[in-house]
Amino acid sequence: MSTPSPLREQREAMVDALLRWFAEAARPLPWREERTPYRVWVAEVMLQQTQVEKVKRYYAAFLRRFPTVEALAAAPLEAVLKAWEGLGYYRRARALHRAAQTIVAEYGGRLPDEVSALRRLPGVGAYTAGAVASIAFGQAAPAVDGNVRRVMARVLAHPAPPRAEIEEAVSLLLPADEAGTFNEALMELGATVCRPRHPQCRRCPWRPFCRAHREGAPEQYPAPKGRPALPHYDVVAAVIIGEEGRVLLAQRRAEDMLGGLWEFPGGKREADETREAALRRELLEEMAIHIEVGEPLIEMEHAYTHFRITLTAFRARLVAGEVRCLECDAFLWADEADLERLPMSVTDRRIATLVAPLLGTRLTAGEGRATSPT
DNA sequence: GAAACGTGGGC
DNA sequence: TGCCCAAGTTT
Protein backbone atom coordinates (compact mmCIF):
# COMPACT_ATOMS: atom_id res chain seq x y z
CA MET A 1 0.00 0.00 0.00
CA SER A 2 1.13 3.58 -0.38
CA THR A 3 1.28 6.14 2.36
CA PRO A 4 -1.07 9.06 1.77
CA SER A 5 0.85 12.00 0.49
CA PRO A 6 -0.32 14.46 3.19
CA LEU A 7 1.88 12.64 5.70
CA ARG A 8 4.89 12.94 3.45
CA GLU A 9 4.30 16.61 2.75
CA GLN A 10 3.71 17.53 6.35
CA ARG A 11 6.45 15.38 7.78
CA GLU A 12 8.62 18.19 9.09
CA ALA A 13 5.74 20.10 10.65
CA MET A 14 4.38 16.97 12.34
CA VAL A 15 7.75 15.92 13.79
CA ASP A 16 8.45 19.42 14.97
CA ALA A 17 5.04 19.85 16.62
CA LEU A 18 5.24 16.48 18.37
CA LEU A 19 8.77 16.95 19.71
CA ARG A 20 8.02 20.46 20.95
CA TRP A 21 4.91 19.22 22.69
CA PHE A 22 6.77 16.31 24.27
CA ALA A 23 9.58 18.53 25.57
CA GLU A 24 6.88 20.35 27.50
CA ALA A 25 4.46 17.56 28.43
CA ALA A 26 6.59 14.45 29.08
CA ARG A 27 5.68 12.85 32.39
CA PRO A 28 8.55 12.23 34.78
CA LEU A 29 8.69 8.42 34.81
CA PRO A 30 11.23 6.27 36.67
CA TRP A 31 12.57 4.65 33.49
CA ARG A 32 13.22 8.08 31.98
CA GLU A 33 15.76 8.96 34.66
CA GLU A 34 18.70 6.77 33.63
CA ARG A 35 18.54 5.35 30.13
CA THR A 36 20.82 2.37 30.34
CA PRO A 37 19.84 -0.39 27.91
CA TYR A 38 19.08 -2.77 30.79
CA ARG A 39 16.75 -0.31 32.48
CA VAL A 40 15.00 0.51 29.22
CA TRP A 41 14.53 -3.18 28.41
CA VAL A 42 13.10 -4.06 31.84
CA ALA A 43 10.69 -1.13 31.64
CA GLU A 44 9.50 -2.05 28.15
CA VAL A 45 8.82 -5.66 29.13
CA MET A 46 6.98 -4.61 32.27
CA LEU A 47 4.91 -2.16 30.23
CA GLN A 48 3.63 -4.83 27.84
CA GLN A 49 -0.17 -4.77 28.23
CA THR A 50 0.33 -3.17 31.63
CA GLN A 51 -0.57 0.33 32.72
CA VAL A 52 2.10 2.86 33.60
CA GLU A 53 0.75 3.39 37.10
CA LYS A 54 1.08 -0.28 37.89
CA VAL A 55 4.59 -0.61 36.49
CA LYS A 56 5.64 2.33 38.65
CA ARG A 57 4.91 0.24 41.72
CA TYR A 58 7.25 -2.58 40.62
CA TYR A 59 10.03 -1.00 38.62
CA ALA A 60 12.30 0.43 41.31
CA ALA A 61 12.03 -2.63 43.55
CA PHE A 62 12.81 -4.94 40.63
CA LEU A 63 15.94 -2.98 39.72
CA ARG A 64 17.04 -2.85 43.32
CA ARG A 65 16.71 -6.62 43.52
CA PHE A 66 18.30 -7.23 40.07
CA PRO A 67 20.51 -4.19 39.36
CA THR A 68 22.29 -5.64 36.32
CA VAL A 69 21.80 -8.18 33.55
CA GLU A 70 24.29 -10.39 35.36
CA ALA A 71 22.36 -10.23 38.61
CA LEU A 72 19.13 -11.11 36.82
CA ALA A 73 20.75 -13.97 34.93
CA ALA A 74 22.28 -15.42 38.10
CA ALA A 75 19.11 -15.20 40.20
CA PRO A 76 16.81 -18.17 40.73
CA LEU A 77 13.71 -18.01 38.52
CA GLU A 78 11.62 -18.16 41.67
CA ALA A 79 13.09 -14.87 42.89
CA VAL A 80 12.28 -13.23 39.56
CA LEU A 81 8.70 -14.50 39.71
CA LYS A 82 8.43 -13.20 43.26
CA ALA A 83 9.48 -9.73 42.13
CA TRP A 84 6.85 -10.05 39.40
CA GLU A 85 4.07 -11.20 41.74
CA GLY A 86 0.85 -9.32 40.97
CA LEU A 87 2.06 -7.84 37.66
CA GLY A 88 0.45 -10.58 35.59
CA TYR A 89 1.47 -12.26 32.32
CA TYR A 90 4.12 -14.21 34.20
CA ARG A 91 5.52 -15.62 30.98
CA ARG A 92 7.21 -12.22 30.69
CA ALA A 93 9.20 -12.83 33.88
CA ARG A 94 10.34 -16.25 32.71
CA ALA A 95 11.30 -14.82 29.31
CA LEU A 96 13.15 -11.89 30.89
CA HIS A 97 15.14 -14.31 33.02
CA ARG A 98 16.03 -16.54 30.06
CA ALA A 99 16.90 -13.54 27.90
CA ALA A 100 19.25 -12.23 30.60
CA GLN A 101 21.08 -15.54 30.57
CA THR A 102 21.36 -15.36 26.78
CA ILE A 103 22.67 -11.80 26.96
CA VAL A 104 25.35 -12.85 29.46
CA ALA A 105 26.30 -15.99 27.55
CA GLU A 106 26.27 -14.63 24.02
CA TYR A 107 26.71 -10.87 24.26
CA GLY A 108 29.05 -10.48 27.22
CA GLY A 109 26.29 -9.04 29.39
CA ARG A 110 25.46 -6.16 27.03
CA LEU A 111 22.17 -5.92 25.23
CA PRO A 112 22.48 -6.10 21.45
CA ASP A 113 21.76 -2.77 19.77
CA GLU A 114 20.09 -4.03 16.60
CA VAL A 115 16.43 -4.83 16.11
CA SER A 116 17.16 -8.18 14.49
CA ALA A 117 19.27 -9.40 17.45
CA LEU A 118 16.91 -7.98 20.07
CA ARG A 119 14.00 -9.61 18.31
CA ARG A 120 15.56 -13.05 18.86
CA LEU A 121 15.51 -12.67 22.64
CA PRO A 122 12.56 -14.39 24.33
CA GLY A 123 9.80 -11.95 25.26
CA VAL A 124 11.03 -9.33 22.77
CA GLY A 125 8.63 -8.84 19.88
CA ALA A 126 8.37 -6.18 17.21
CA TYR A 127 7.34 -3.42 19.60
CA THR A 128 9.89 -4.07 22.35
CA ALA A 129 12.76 -4.53 19.89
CA GLY A 130 11.93 -1.20 18.27
CA ALA A 131 11.53 0.56 21.61
CA VAL A 132 14.84 -0.68 23.04
CA ALA A 133 16.74 -0.12 19.78
CA SER A 134 15.49 3.44 19.44
CA ILE A 135 15.30 4.60 23.05
CA ALA A 136 18.44 2.92 24.39
CA PHE A 137 20.60 2.90 21.25
CA GLY A 138 19.25 5.68 19.05
CA GLN A 139 18.47 3.38 16.14
CA ALA A 140 15.88 4.62 13.66
CA ALA A 141 13.34 1.86 14.32
CA PRO A 142 9.58 2.29 14.77
CA ALA A 143 7.96 1.15 18.04
CA VAL A 144 4.29 0.53 17.38
CA ASP A 145 2.26 -0.13 20.51
CA GLY A 146 -1.44 0.30 21.24
CA ASN A 147 -1.05 4.05 21.72
CA VAL A 148 0.70 4.53 18.39
CA ARG A 149 -1.86 2.32 16.67
CA ARG A 150 -4.70 4.47 18.01
CA VAL A 151 -3.01 7.79 17.19
CA MET A 152 -2.27 6.68 13.63
CA ALA A 153 -5.74 5.19 13.15
CA ARG A 154 -7.10 8.65 13.94
CA VAL A 155 -4.55 10.62 11.94
CA LEU A 156 -5.31 8.44 8.92
CA ALA A 157 -9.02 8.01 9.78
CA HIS A 158 -8.63 4.29 9.22
CA PRO A 159 -10.83 2.04 11.39
CA ALA A 160 -8.32 -0.81 11.54
CA PRO A 161 -4.98 0.00 9.92
CA PRO A 162 -2.82 -3.08 9.40
CA ARG A 163 0.38 -3.16 11.40
CA ALA A 164 2.49 -2.86 8.26
CA GLU A 165 0.72 0.32 7.25
CA ILE A 166 1.28 1.88 10.67
CA GLU A 167 4.94 0.93 10.70
CA GLU A 168 5.31 2.40 7.25
CA ALA A 169 3.67 5.65 8.29
CA VAL A 170 5.73 5.92 11.49
CA SER A 171 8.94 5.07 9.63
CA LEU A 172 8.19 7.81 7.14
CA LEU A 173 7.92 10.36 9.94
CA LEU A 174 10.70 9.02 12.16
CA PRO A 175 13.59 11.52 12.49
CA ALA A 176 16.83 9.55 12.29
CA ASP A 177 18.60 11.61 14.93
CA GLU A 178 15.76 11.54 17.49
CA ALA A 179 14.04 8.24 16.88
CA GLY A 180 13.78 7.25 20.53
CA THR A 181 12.37 10.59 21.63
CA PHE A 182 9.94 10.55 18.72
CA ASN A 183 8.70 7.05 19.57
CA GLU A 184 8.27 7.97 23.23
CA ALA A 185 6.52 11.19 22.29
CA LEU A 186 4.07 9.36 20.05
CA MET A 187 3.24 6.87 22.82
CA GLU A 188 2.94 9.70 25.33
CA LEU A 189 0.53 11.49 23.01
CA GLY A 190 -1.65 8.40 22.83
CA ALA A 191 -1.53 7.80 26.57
CA THR A 192 -2.27 11.33 27.74
CA VAL A 193 -4.03 13.22 24.92
CA CYS A 194 -5.22 10.90 22.16
CA ARG A 195 -6.85 8.61 24.70
CA PRO A 196 -9.27 5.81 23.81
CA ARG A 197 -12.21 7.76 25.24
CA HIS A 198 -12.60 11.53 25.39
CA PRO A 199 -9.51 12.46 23.38
CA GLN A 200 -8.22 15.92 24.31
CA CYS A 201 -8.01 17.31 20.79
CA ARG A 202 -7.75 20.88 22.07
CA ARG A 203 -4.35 20.03 23.54
CA CYS A 204 -3.15 17.95 20.62
CA PRO A 205 -0.08 19.05 18.65
CA TRP A 206 -1.28 16.94 15.73
CA ARG A 207 -4.80 18.35 15.53
CA PRO A 208 -4.00 20.22 12.28
CA PHE A 209 -2.82 16.96 10.71
CA CYS A 210 -5.56 14.65 11.96
CA ARG A 211 -8.16 13.41 9.50
CA ALA A 212 -10.40 11.91 12.20
CA HIS A 213 -10.51 15.28 13.95
CA ARG A 214 -11.47 17.01 10.70
CA GLU A 215 -14.25 14.47 10.28
CA GLY A 216 -15.45 15.38 13.77
CA ALA A 217 -15.53 11.96 15.45
CA PRO A 218 -12.04 10.92 16.50
CA GLU A 219 -13.44 8.51 19.10
CA GLN A 220 -14.74 6.30 16.30
CA TYR A 221 -11.16 5.25 15.53
CA PRO A 222 -9.95 2.64 15.81
CA ALA A 223 -13.11 0.53 15.52
CA PRO A 224 -13.82 -1.52 18.67
CA LYS A 225 -13.31 -5.24 18.38
CA GLY A 226 -16.10 -7.49 19.52
CA ARG A 227 -15.19 -10.04 22.14
CA PRO A 228 -16.91 -13.28 23.01
CA ALA A 229 -18.38 -13.55 26.50
CA LEU A 230 -16.05 -15.17 29.00
CA PRO A 231 -16.92 -18.68 30.12
CA HIS A 232 -17.29 -19.23 33.85
CA TYR A 233 -15.87 -22.06 35.95
CA ASP A 234 -16.17 -23.15 39.56
CA VAL A 235 -12.69 -23.73 40.91
CA VAL A 236 -11.85 -25.34 44.23
CA ALA A 237 -8.65 -25.34 46.27
CA ALA A 238 -7.55 -27.28 49.33
CA VAL A 239 -5.96 -25.90 52.48
CA ILE A 240 -4.40 -29.03 53.93
CA ILE A 241 -2.55 -28.40 57.17
CA GLY A 242 -0.42 -31.33 58.28
CA GLU A 243 0.59 -32.40 61.74
CA GLU A 244 3.66 -30.20 61.64
CA GLY A 245 1.47 -27.14 61.27
CA ARG A 246 2.51 -26.70 57.64
CA VAL A 247 0.26 -26.34 54.61
CA LEU A 248 0.51 -28.23 51.33
CA LEU A 249 1.43 -26.17 48.26
CA ALA A 250 2.00 -27.21 44.64
CA GLN A 251 4.07 -25.48 42.00
CA ARG A 252 2.29 -25.02 38.69
CA ARG A 253 3.94 -26.52 35.67
CA ALA A 254 6.25 -24.07 33.88
CA GLU A 255 4.42 -24.26 30.56
CA ASP A 256 0.92 -23.81 32.01
CA MET A 257 -0.95 -20.62 32.75
CA LEU A 258 0.59 -19.00 35.86
CA GLY A 259 3.54 -21.32 35.24
CA GLY A 260 6.08 -21.58 38.05
CA LEU A 261 3.79 -19.97 40.61
CA TRP A 262 2.80 -21.80 43.80
CA GLU A 263 -0.80 -22.59 44.62
CA PHE A 264 -3.14 -24.35 46.97
CA PRO A 265 -3.83 -27.54 45.00
CA GLY A 266 -7.23 -28.05 43.39
CA GLY A 267 -8.94 -27.51 40.07
CA LYS A 268 -12.13 -27.05 38.08
CA ARG A 269 -15.45 -28.56 39.12
CA GLU A 270 -17.01 -30.66 36.37
CA ALA A 271 -20.66 -30.34 35.41
CA ASP A 272 -21.98 -33.32 37.38
CA GLU A 273 -19.87 -32.84 40.51
CA THR A 274 -20.23 -31.15 43.86
CA ARG A 275 -17.36 -28.85 44.75
CA GLU A 276 -16.31 -31.26 47.50
CA ALA A 277 -16.21 -34.20 45.10
CA ALA A 278 -14.25 -32.14 42.60
CA LEU A 279 -11.68 -31.29 45.25
CA ARG A 280 -11.29 -34.94 46.28
CA ARG A 281 -10.87 -35.96 42.64
CA GLU A 282 -8.35 -33.22 41.89
CA LEU A 283 -6.14 -34.04 44.87
CA LEU A 284 -6.14 -37.69 43.88
CA GLU A 285 -5.33 -36.89 40.23
CA GLU A 286 -2.77 -34.17 40.91
CA MET A 287 -1.10 -35.26 44.13
CA ALA A 288 -2.08 -38.90 44.61
CA ILE A 289 -3.72 -38.36 47.97
CA HIS A 290 -7.12 -39.05 49.49
CA ILE A 291 -8.54 -36.14 51.44
CA GLU A 292 -11.51 -35.35 53.62
CA VAL A 293 -13.02 -31.99 52.71
CA GLY A 294 -13.98 -29.64 55.55
CA GLU A 295 -15.65 -26.25 55.62
CA PRO A 296 -15.13 -23.47 53.06
CA LEU A 297 -12.64 -20.81 54.21
CA ILE A 298 -13.11 -18.16 51.55
CA GLU A 299 -14.89 -17.65 48.25
CA MET A 300 -13.83 -15.13 45.60
CA GLU A 301 -14.65 -14.04 42.08
CA HIS A 302 -11.82 -13.52 39.66
CA ALA A 303 -11.53 -12.72 35.94
CA TYR A 304 -8.60 -13.93 33.88
CA THR A 305 -7.97 -12.93 30.28
CA HIS A 306 -10.26 -15.50 28.71
CA PHE A 307 -12.42 -16.94 31.51
CA ARG A 308 -13.92 -16.10 34.89
CA ILE A 309 -13.94 -18.21 38.01
CA THR A 310 -15.56 -18.51 41.38
CA LEU A 311 -12.81 -19.88 43.59
CA THR A 312 -13.63 -21.59 46.87
CA ALA A 313 -10.87 -22.65 49.25
CA PHE A 314 -11.82 -25.47 51.64
CA ARG A 315 -10.13 -26.74 54.75
CA ALA A 316 -9.16 -30.35 54.13
CA ARG A 317 -7.37 -33.22 55.83
CA LEU A 318 -5.02 -35.78 54.39
CA VAL A 319 -6.64 -39.17 54.95
CA ALA A 320 -4.50 -41.58 52.96
CA GLY A 321 -1.67 -41.74 50.46
CA GLU A 322 1.75 -40.18 50.12
CA VAL A 323 2.01 -36.84 48.37
CA ARG A 324 3.46 -36.98 44.87
CA CYS A 325 3.37 -34.47 42.05
CA LEU A 326 1.43 -36.02 39.19
CA GLU A 327 0.29 -32.80 37.52
CA CYS A 328 2.60 -30.21 39.06
CA ASP A 329 6.33 -29.43 39.02
CA ALA A 330 6.94 -29.63 42.77
CA PHE A 331 5.20 -29.68 46.13
CA LEU A 332 6.07 -28.37 49.55
CA TRP A 333 4.77 -28.37 53.10
CA ALA A 334 4.99 -24.64 53.69
CA ASP A 335 5.48 -22.74 56.93
CA GLU A 336 4.66 -19.08 57.37
CA ALA A 337 7.99 -17.92 55.94
CA ASP A 338 7.51 -20.12 52.86
CA LEU A 339 4.07 -18.65 52.27
CA GLU A 340 5.53 -15.17 52.27
CA ARG A 341 8.55 -16.04 50.14
CA LEU A 342 6.99 -18.09 47.36
CA PRO A 343 5.52 -16.46 44.25
CA MET A 344 1.73 -16.82 43.92
CA SER A 345 -1.07 -15.41 41.80
CA VAL A 346 -3.37 -12.86 43.46
CA THR A 347 -6.06 -15.42 44.28
CA ASP A 348 -3.66 -17.82 45.99
CA ARG A 349 -2.00 -14.88 47.73
CA ARG A 350 -5.36 -14.02 49.28
CA ILE A 351 -5.77 -17.57 50.54
CA ALA A 352 -2.19 -17.54 51.84
CA THR A 353 -2.84 -14.37 53.81
CA LEU A 354 -5.85 -16.00 55.39
CA VAL A 355 -4.02 -19.24 56.14
CA ALA A 356 -0.75 -17.87 57.53
CA PRO A 357 -2.09 -17.29 61.06
CA LEU A 358 -3.30 -20.91 61.18
CA LEU A 359 0.20 -22.32 60.72
CA GLY A 360 2.92 -23.17 63.20
CA THR A 361 0.58 -24.65 65.76
CA ARG A 362 -0.70 -28.19 65.66
CA LEU A 363 -4.19 -27.68 64.37
CA THR A 364 -6.43 -30.47 63.25
CA ALA A 365 -8.65 -29.73 60.27
CA GLY A 366 -12.14 -28.77 61.34
CA GLU A 367 -11.22 -28.70 65.00
CA GLY A 368 -9.76 -25.24 65.42
CA ARG A 369 -8.00 -26.14 68.66
CA ALA A 370 -4.28 -25.91 69.34
CA THR A 371 -2.46 -28.69 71.12
CA SER A 372 0.55 -27.98 73.29
CA PRO A 373 3.72 -27.09 71.38
CA THR A 374 6.43 -29.70 71.12
C1' DG B 1 -4.69 -15.40 11.87
C1' DA B 2 -6.67 -16.69 16.13
C1' DA B 3 -6.30 -17.90 20.76
C1' DA B 4 -3.90 -17.90 25.08
C1' DC B 5 -1.98 -15.22 28.50
C1' DG B 6 -3.13 -11.54 34.52
C1' DT B 7 -4.61 -7.90 36.80
C1' DG B 8 -7.00 -3.87 38.27
C1' DG B 9 -8.89 0.81 37.25
C1' DG B 10 -12.53 3.35 35.13
C1' DC B 11 -17.11 4.11 33.69
C1' DT C 1 -22.49 -4.85 37.98
C1' DG C 2 -20.25 -6.02 33.99
C1' DC C 3 -17.44 -4.79 30.26
C1' DC C 4 -13.44 -2.47 28.25
C1' DC C 5 -8.75 -2.50 27.87
C1' DA C 6 -3.62 -1.33 29.04
C1' DA C 7 3.95 0.85 26.31
C1' DG C 8 2.40 -7.23 23.33
C1' DT C 9 4.40 -11.95 22.61
C1' DT C 10 4.00 -16.65 21.56
C1' DT C 11 2.18 -20.68 19.46
Side-chain angles (χ1 to χ4, degrees), chain A residues 149-176:
Chain A
R149 196 154 35 243
R150 181 173 58 257
V151 171
M152 296 312 295
R154 288 173 178 169
V155 167
L156 303 169
H158 190 313
R163 179 185 183 82
E165 188 167 335
I166 297 175
E167 282 193 353
E168 186 188 325
V170 172
S171 298
L172 180 73
L173 296 172
L174 202 63

Side-chain angles (χ1 to χ4, degrees), chain A residues 229-235 301-302 306-311:
Chain A
L230 304 183
H232 176 272
Y233 305 110
D234 275 328
V235 174
E301 305 292 326
H302 189 73
H306 56 295
F307 61 91
R308 296 175 295 117
I309 63 168
T310 301
L311 172 59

Side-chain angles (χ1 to χ4, degrees), chain A residues 4 7 14 146-161 165-166 169 186 189-201 204 206-224:
Chain A
L7 222 53
M14 290 180 77
N147 290 306
V148 174
R149 196 154 35 243
R150 181 173 58 257
V151 171
M152 296 312 295
R154 288 173 178 169
V155 167
L156 303 169
H158 190 313
E165 188 167 335
I166 297 175
L186 198 43
L189 186 68
T192 63
V193 173
C194 195
R195 302 182 303 204
R197 279 161 304 196
H198 311 301
Q200 312 282 294
C201 298
C204 184
W206 275 8
R207 183 176 54 179
F209 314 107
C210 183
R211 190 170 160 194
H213 178 259
R214 278 200 299 281
E215 289 180 357
E219 265 185 286
Q220 289 179 1
Y221 303 95

Side-chain angles (χ1 to χ4, degrees), chain A residues 14-244:
Chain A
M14 290 180 77
V15 170
D16 196 57
L18 183 64
L19 292 179
R20 284 175 190 279
W21 169 81
F22 187 59
E24 191 68 28
R27 294 169 291 179
L29 299 173
W31 45 93
R32 290 178 176 166
E33 289 168 11
E34 257 184 274
R35 323 294 209 116
T36 69
Y38 175 63
R39 291 173 57 92
V40 171
W41 171 48
V42 169
E44 292 305 336
V45 173
M46 280 193 175
L47 285 161
Q48 292 169 4
Q49 293 289 284
T50 307
Q51 291 169 340
V52 164
E53 287 307 312
K54 184 156 199 182
V55 172
K56 278 184 180 176
R57 301 199 290 271
Y58 286 80
Y59 185 69
F62 190 94
L63 285 168
R64 218 167 20 249
R65 177 72 180 77
F66 311 107
T68 62
V69 179
E70 286 81 5
L72 180 58
L77 173 59
E78 202 152 85
V80 181
L81 287 169
K82 183 63 186 179
W84 209 267
E85 187 180 285
L87 251 188
Y89 286 134
Y90 299 95
R91 171 192 300 271
R92 293 181 295 172
R94 297 195 298 276
L96 200 67
H97 187 235
R98 268 194 297 138
Q101 295 174 337
T102 299
I103 292 165
V104 167
E106 297 185 18
Y107 298 99
R110 297 183 176 255
L111 271 86
D113 62 355
E114 291 191 18
V115 168
S116 58
L118 288 164
R119 188 68 186 71
R120 275 182 244 124
L121 297 170
V124 177
Y127 162 73
T128 305
V132 173
S134 64
I135 297 169
F137 296 110
Q139 304 259 7
V144 177
D145 74 336
N147 290 306
V148 174
R149 196 154 35 243
R150 181 173 58 257
V151 171
M152 296 312 295
R154 288 173 178 169
V155 167
L156 303 169
H158 190 313
R163 179 185 183 82
E165 188 167 335
I166 297 175
E167 282 193 353
E168 186 188 325
V170 172
S171 298
L172 180 73
L173 296 172
L174 202 63
D177 56 340
E178 296 201 78
T181 307
F182 178 85
N183 283 334
E184 275 200 285
L186 198 43
M187 290 189 273
E188 189 86 350
L189 186 68
T192 63
V193 173
C194 195
R195 302 182 303 204
R197 279 161 304 196
H198 311 301
Q200 312 282 294
C201 298
R202 280 171 310 185
R203 301 197 291 126
C204 184
W206 275 8
R207 183 176 54 179
F209 314 107
C210 183
R211 190 170 160 194
H213 178 259
R214 278 200 299 281
E215 289 180 357
E219 265 185 286
Q220 289 179 1
Y221 303 95
K225 34 195 162 188
R227 299 183 184 194
L230 304 183
H232 176 272
Y233 305 110
D234 275 328
V235 174
V236 289
V239 174
I240 305 172
I241 299 178
E243 290 180 13
E244 306 301 319

